[in-house]
Amino acid sequence: MASESTIPGRDTMDFDLIKAALESSDGKKSRTPRTLEGGKGTLSVDQALALMPRRKLTRDDFLTPALKQLKEKADLEASLPPKRVRPVKIKDLLDTLKAAWDFMDDIKPETVNQVVIQWPQEFSETKLEDLSPMNIVDLRVRKPHIGKYLLCRTMTPAIYDGGIGFLLSVEDTEGDIAYLKLLNFVLLLEANQDEWDWNLPISSILVIREPFYYKNADVKSMPYIMVESPSDVIYVHTEDPVMKDVSWARKAKKVIQPRPTTDEGWKAEGLEEFKGARWFSAAMCFTACIIRGFEVEVCRLNRAEVYLRLGWNNSALHDVQVALGSGTLSDDLKRKAINRKIKALYALGRYQEVSQIASSESFEDDQVMADWVTKAGKRIEEQSTGNYDWLKLYKGAEKESFSPDIADYTGPVEVKSDSNGLRGTYVTRDVKAGELLMFHKPSVLLSPSDKPKTNIPSSIFRMIDVPALRTTEDKNTYRLFCKAVQRVWDDKHMYDTLRALYGGETVEAPDPFPPPFTTDSPLERPDIDVEYLQGVIAFNSFDLDDGGKALYAMPSLLNHSCMPSTHAEFIGDAYVVRANRDMKKGEEITIAYIDKGVSFDEKRFRLMSTWRFNCECGVCQADDEDGYDAREARRALSKKMDDIREQSKVVSDAMSFRRLAAEAKAICENMKRTYHEEHGKKAGGLKYELVKPLRSYATVLRLLGAVTKDKACTKRTIEVMMQHLTVSGFKITDMSLTGALPEGELPLPVDTSQVPQSFTFNVAAALEIAQHFRELGDDKRTKRWLDVAVWMESVYSGGGLPVFKLREAEALERVDLSDLL
């Protein structure tokens, strides 16, 4: 552990270091304190919590000295008037680019690539035809060049900066030069040098809409044009109308990558790029063929297939429809076109259209089309009824990176604002515990199989967003943002959908949800607000169990509570939400953003540091009212119970187990005293930090009973297990351990209007209670508690596979009830 000298004081604490220490624990306690080591010192989770202020945190608490300095600098720069700067010298620019090239060529894995966003990220919303041309000499730093566009040509290869951009030198038609930083050009950020050279060769002609010019803090003589939204840079062909009457002062340089010189060469190159899974490059080759008028419809269908691989389903559909509308396709090409049209429509969730096309008379007795009809029919049923093959889905989820083929289902829910103007999601009718409310595939997905192709060694990525006061070293969050940009580039309706999600308090308010459905042509690209999209990803994305990351549209509208009204889980990369209690019409649907079982102080830090709010649910209010000293005592007692649990794994004699049982009992009783008298009423009986200690106490009692064969231990184990379920939010209506039960069919000994907040532990707990009643020879109570486990599992899984999941719980707890299953 760290010495006191390495720990920052309460007034100068490093919140980034504290956050990293807390996140390293993942809400789990360990016998050996987890620590974070680095140049700034070593901080354990306990020390991190002890250093936090004994008050509710605010956004200002996360304004670290480094962020504050950056913010002051940015504010000062923004307050200055626009200014003309000296022209960039070609030698200085080439030297700067060479230094960047050398740096990236020699980069080491431990290198920190730090991206600092100092000002709000700009983007243009004006169509090119409504802009007028300007030249580099007209540029002013600190000035948005509204109503203008810059036509320029690249002079050097694109150099990836290792973060989020490419560095280039460009010239305008007058021969003046400028330094260009092309950020968020997402289709190439994870490509390799060959693809960069192919897609951004020397002499590429670009149009930059409403450019921004910035001073360079590092090199005073090197101001730069920064393009932050990919929708603001437009590739231009020599035949484009914007090139009419344009001539260049300098002769164009040769491209670094040889380009095809014939129509056949472009097509062959496109096929070669396709074979190499270089989709964007392949699309550009086939686009060149189309522009040149060579085998237009064939190349259009080839491009449609490329677009399907890119996930640009709208663009693929558009290409196919144009090709089919040409009336020039052979029967074989027409068949290919219809297949690609069906694939695009299916990916877009337009299952009725898939069914209509595939079931037409012209495809009678066609097995491929019959299969499409069957698949589309299943999706239509899922979409309208919420009926899924749950057994197949859960078995599929055993596979790594499982992505189920399902239709999204949205049940009786609506998005609306409450009386305070806060947006939430509510049920539109009464629902029962276990009812399916949502089952959605990702709107944007980063799969673990999506590996960058860049040949630059992986380095430490740090992104500091000064306007949002946010710092992250999670490269996958940025990579998911790149996936979102790719998705919305093709699908304007998806852009409208994401624009209706929360993007943070530093951007404008979200649009109404759901947005009106549109089927705009994919050629009408949206003007992408990258700052808003980055906020959407930062505040709403989920980490998947397989290491991937995903964004779900409607589930992002669910607010947080430590007393959530739903149970949410992943089945592969699909997200399922079920009511975990009976709900009345108009009640809010909530989920837990973080592990509910961690301490109040840890939760408040995580919620404020990531989502910028304090939870005001009943549990948090009650924990807050318990007071800091009580919570610290609770945490210390939890650590002692961790030690007892570890000791119980290595002892085997009755005397040791009796000692451990006595200590565990005392710890649980002392922990109960840390909760004030009204805590249970306000928190609905939930005492999250007592759940694991009671569980550990019951385990020690079970082991003691096994060694001594003392049935009194078995009864006491059942009592403690029932307490464990009670503090998990379960209402037990019959806690009797002995005595005669009424004849006939009995109701379950629990309140079935709600289930506990945890699945695995509580199903296993019910199974273990059943096992202990069997040891006592009480068959009726054994069966009743086995039925509780079956019911609980059925509620969590939609009634699809109780035995399947119960066997998992059996293995977990070494419970043998197979003859009763």
Side-chain angles (χ1 to χ4, degrees):
M1 293 179 63
S3 64
E4 285 298 319
S5 62
T6 65
I7 307 303
R10 193 178 289 269
D11 294 331
T12 59
M13 70 184 112
D14 188 327
F15 275 90
D16 286 338
L17 190 59
I18 291 176
K19 182 177 181 181
L22 294 179
E23 288 180 346
S24 71
S25 73
D26 197 28
K28 300 174 183 176
K29 293 182 174 64
S30 163
R31 183 166 186 162
T32 304
R34 288 182 170 88
T35 60
L36 178 77
E37 298 182 3
K40 294 181 283 188
T42 304
L43 200 62
S44 73
V45 174
D46 291 336
Q47 291 165 335
L49 290 174
L51 284 168
M52 286 172 53
R54 301 187 183 189
R55 58 170 172 75
K56 289 184 178 179
L57 300 170
T58 67
R59 186 172 180 263
D60 289 342
D61 285 316
F62 296 87
L63 187 61
T64 62
L67 265 178
K68 186 176 181 180
Q69 186 177 17
L70 284 170
K71 188 174 188 305
E72 289 173 350
K73 184 178 178 181
D75 290 344
L76 175 61
E77 180 69 19
S79 69
L80 299 175
K83 179 183 178 182
R84 182 194 293 270
V85 292
R86 291 181 180 178
V88 173
K89 296 180 179 178
I90 184 68
K91 182 180 182 304
D92 293 342
L93 177 50
L94 294 178
D95 287 346
T96 299
L97 292 172
K98 184 178 184 306
W101 184 286
D102 292 342
F103 173 78
M104 294 309 301
D105 200 38
D106 297 331
I107 196 167
K108 302 294 189 294
E110 65 273 13
T111 303
V112 176
N113 266 311
Q114 183 162 286
V115 178
V116 180
I117 300 171
Q118 292 182 282
W119 301 281
Q121 298 175 79
E122 305 291 349
F123 72 106
S124 175
E125 296 182 271
T126 308
K127 293 182 178 180
L128 180 57
E129 54 265 33
D130 296 328
L131 300 175
S132 58
M134 67 176 300
N135 290 317
I136 289 173
V137 72
D138 303 318
L139 292 170
R140 305 287 186 274
V141 295
R142 297 187 296 266
K143 177 185 177 182
H145 297 86
I146 304 300
K148 301 290 185 179
Y149 73 83
L150 176 66
L151 179 68
C152 57
R153 189 169 61 184
T154 61
M155 302 170 59
T156 51
I159 302 170
Y160 176 46
D161 67 2
I164 67 171
F166 293 94
L167 313 178
L168 304 106
S169 62
V170 295
E171 62 176 342
D172 64 13
T173 56
E174 300 298 317
D176 292 316
I177 62 170
Y179 185 17
L180 173 63
K181 294 188 178 183
L182 197 58
L183 307 188
N184 303 314
F185 203 61
V186 297
L187 286 166
L188 294 179
L189 279 173
E190 299 192 334
N192 58 33
Q193 187 67 52
D194 286 342
E195 288 178 87
W196 302 333
D197 292 343
W198 175 260
N199 290 288
L200 275 173
I202 294 175
S203 297
S204 294
I205 303 173
L206 308 175
V207 164
I208 300 172
R209 297 192 301 166
E210 300 185 323
F212 281 77
Y213 207 39
Y214 293 89
K215 284 180 64 177
N216 195 324
D218 300 320
V219 185
K220 301 294 184 184
S221 62
M222 198 60 58
Y224 54 88
I225 303 167
M226 186 157 66
V227 181
E228 292 158 303
S229 174
S231 58
D232 286 345
V233 59
I234 303 169
Y235 275 95
V236 176
H237 296 279
T238 53
E239 298 85 359
D240 194 285
V242 79
M243 294 297 295
K244 185 179 180 181
D245 299 327
V246 168
S247 60
W248 299 90
R250 303 175 193 264
K251 185 179 179 181
K253 291 193 174 185
K254 292 183 179 179
V255 297
I256 196 168
Q257 275 275 49
R259 310 291 274 188
T261 57
T262 65
D263 297 339
E264 291 83 357
W266 277 107
K267 181 182 177 183
E269 191 72 34
L271 294 173
E272 190 64 29
E273 295 298 291
F274 181 86
K275 290 177 184 176
R278 295 180 289 274
W279 313 126
F280 189 53
S281 303
M284 290 191 70
C285 291
F286 294 132
T287 298
C289 290
I290 295 167
I291 291 172
R292 296 162 70 100
F294 177 72
E295 296 186 6
V296 171
E297 304 313 331
V298 171
C299 290
R300 200 180 295 280
L301 290 181
N302 287 345
R303 190 173 68 174
E305 184 62 32
V306 173
Y307 285 161
L308 288 171
R309 307 301 177 94
L310 275 169
W312 287 8
N313 301 302
N314 270 313
S315 297
L317 181 61
H318 178 266
D319 267 354
V320 169
Q321 289 173 328
V322 172
L324 286 169
S326 70
T328 62
L329 299 183
S330 65
D331 289 344
D332 182 53
L333 286 178
K334 189 180 295 184
R335 171 70 183 223
K336 289 182 179 179
I338 291 172
N339 264 298
R340 285 166 199 180
K341 182 176 183 178
I342 286 176
K343 288 179 182 178
L345 288 170
Y346 189 86
L348 290 166
R350 291 159 65 173
Y351 306 118
Q352 291 283 2
E353 293 173 70
V354 171
S355 183
Q356 289 168 5
I357 294 170
S359 60
S360 68
E361 292 182 4
S362 57
F363 297 119
E364 191 175 354
D365 299 326
D366 187 314
Q367 188 56 50
V368 173
M369 291 300 172
D371 290 343
W372 277 115
V373 172
T374 301
K375 286 178 66 175
K378 288 179 180 178
R379 303 294 87 81
I380 292 167
E381 181 187 0
E382 292 166 352
Q383 206 169 46
S384 58
T385 67
N387 294 330
Y388 295 85
D389 187 341
W390 296 107
L391 180 60
K392 182 178 179 181
L393 288 169
Y394 278 109
K395 283 187 174 291
E398 294 178 333
K399 302 172 186 175
E400 190 174 348
S401 299
F402 176 55
S403 186
D405 181 11
I406 59 165
D408 286 352
Y409 171 77
T410 303
V413 304
E414 65 176 345
V415 177
K416 63 180 183 179
S417 297
D418 63 14
S419 57
N420 297 317
L422 300 176
R423 191 170 61 167
T425 308
Y426 300 83
V427 292
T428 57
R429 59 167 171 78
D430 294 354
V431 301
K432 289 290 186 183
E435 184 168 343
L436 180 65
L437 300 177
M438 296 182 195
F439 192 20
H440 282 212
K441 295 181 294 186
S443 298
V444 186
L445 173 66
L446 176 67
S447 169
S449 61
D450 293 328
K451 302 294 185 184
K453 292 183 287 185
T454 176
N455 48 10
I456 293 176
S458 178
S459 56
I460 300 169
F461 175 81
R462 179 180 299 141
M463 192 167 185
I464 303 173
D465 189 327
V466 177
L469 300 181
R470 185 170 59 238
T471 300
T472 180
E473 291 187 0
D474 180 9
K475 184 67 177 285
N476 278 351
T477 297
Y478 183 76
R479 293 181 65 207
L480 185 65
F481 157 77
C482 292
K483 292 285 185 180
V485 172
Q486 288 185 43
R487 182 76 197 275
V488 304
W489 189 247
D490 169 72
D491 189 344
K492 188 175 184 301
H493 180 67
M494 179 54 65
Y495 179 72
D496 294 339
T497 299
L498 300 187
R499 189 57 186 73
L501 304 183
Y502 179 69
E505 56 190 350
T506 59
V507 297
E508 60 189 65
D511 294 335
F513 187 95
F517 181 74
T518 58
T519 54
D520 293 343
S521 166
L523 302 179
E524 300 196 14
R525 310 292 189 188
D527 301 317
I528 300 176
D529 184 343
V530 295
E531 184 162 9
Y532 198 97
L533 280 189
Q534 285 173 4
V536 166
I537 296 298
F539 286 106
N540 299 287
S541 58
F542 290 80
D543 291 318
L544 303 180
D545 294 337
D546 62 6
K549 207 172 185 74
L551 177 77
Y552 304 83
M554 192 159 192
S556 294
L557 277 296
L558 300 177
N559 288 324
H560 165 84
S561 174
C562 302
M563 305 170 66
S565 58
T566 64
H567 169 72
E569 66 173 332
F570 295 102
I571 301 179
D573 60 26
Y575 192 64
V576 59
V577 180
R578 294 185 181 279
N580 63 13
R581 58 178 172 80
D582 291 353
M583 299 175 68
K584 294 292 185 183
K585 177 182 178 180
E587 284 192 59
E588 185 174 8
I589 304 168
T590 53
I591 58 174
Y593 290 1
I594 59 175
D595 181 359
K596 303 179 293 293
V598 300
S599 70
F600 166 79
D601 298 279
E602 187 170 338
K603 280 192 290 190
R604 67 172 176 153
F605 187 94
R606 290 186 180 185
L607 290 171
M608 180 56 72
S609 65
T610 302
W611 291 281
R612 301 293 196 256
F613 71 83
N614 287 299
C615 181
E616 299 294 343
C617 74
V619 169
C620 285
Q621 289 183 42
D623 283 347
D624 193 16
E625 291 170 10
D626 286 335
Y628 183 82
D629 292 338
R631 297 194 301 271
E632 282 291 285
R634 197 179 298 161
R635 201 154 52 84
L637 290 166
S638 292
K639 287 170 61 67
K640 288 184 178 180
M641 188 62 89
D642 289 343
D643 291 336
I644 288 175
R645 184 170 58 250
E646 294 300 318
Q647 290 180 54
S648 71
K649 296 176 181 178
V650 296
V651 302
S652 57
D653 60 288
M655 182 178 295
S656 296
F657 280 125
R658 285 195 179 93
R659 173 181 59 81
L660 291 176
E663 292 177 9
K665 178 181 178 181
I667 287 172
C668 288
E669 292 303 317
N670 287 332
M671 185 172 283
K672 290 175 184 177
R673 296 187 188 99
T674 66
Y675 294 93
H676 69 279
E677 198 170 312
E678 297 297 311
H679 186 288
K681 294 180 182 178
K682 184 165 285 189
L686 287 165
K687 296 177 180 177
Y688 285 126
E689 289 176 87
L690 190 53
V691 172
K692 283 180 66 177
L694 284 170
R695 182 73 168 166
S696 298
Y697 179 25
T699 299
V700 173
L701 286 170
R702 174 169 60 83
L703 294 170
L704 175 60
V707 171
T708 63
K709 309 300 181 185
D710 185 352
K711 290 191 175 181
C713 282
T714 304
K715 290 180 180 178
R716 182 60 182 148
T717 302
I718 295 173
E719 289 178 336
V720 176
M721 291 299 295
M722 288 183 177
Q723 291 178 36
H724 155 80
L725 286 173
T726 299
V727 297
S728 298
F730 220 4
K731 292 182 180 178
I732 302 177
T733 56
D734 180 5
M735 300 186 73
S736 67
L737 306 182
T738 58
L741 292 171
E743 294 297 326
E745 188 173 344
L746 297 175
L748 294 180
V750 298
D751 180 354
T752 57
S753 67
Q754 65 180 59
V755 291
Q757 294 288 348
S758 173
F759 165 67
T760 305
F761 277 145
N762 292 311
V763 171
L767 280 171
E768 192 170 334
I769 290 172
Q771 172 72 359
H772 291 318
F773 275 125
R774 165 172 275 196
E775 292 167 4
L776 295 174
D778 192 333
D779 290 341
K780 280 193 173 182
R781 286 184 172 84
T782 297
K783 185 65 169 66
R784 291 182 85 199
W785 278 94
L786 178 60
D787 288 344
V788 169
V790 171
W791 163 78
M792 200 188 313
E793 192 284 331
S794 179
V795 169
Y796 280 126
S797 68
L801 55 157
V803 174
F804 175 68
K805 275 204 163 184
L806 281 173
R807 292 199 185 281
E808 290 183 351
E810 276 184 51
L812 178 70
E813 292 300 315
R814 300 190 183 91
V815 175
D816 184 12
L817 297 167
S818 55
D819 58 324
L820 294 177
L821 293 173

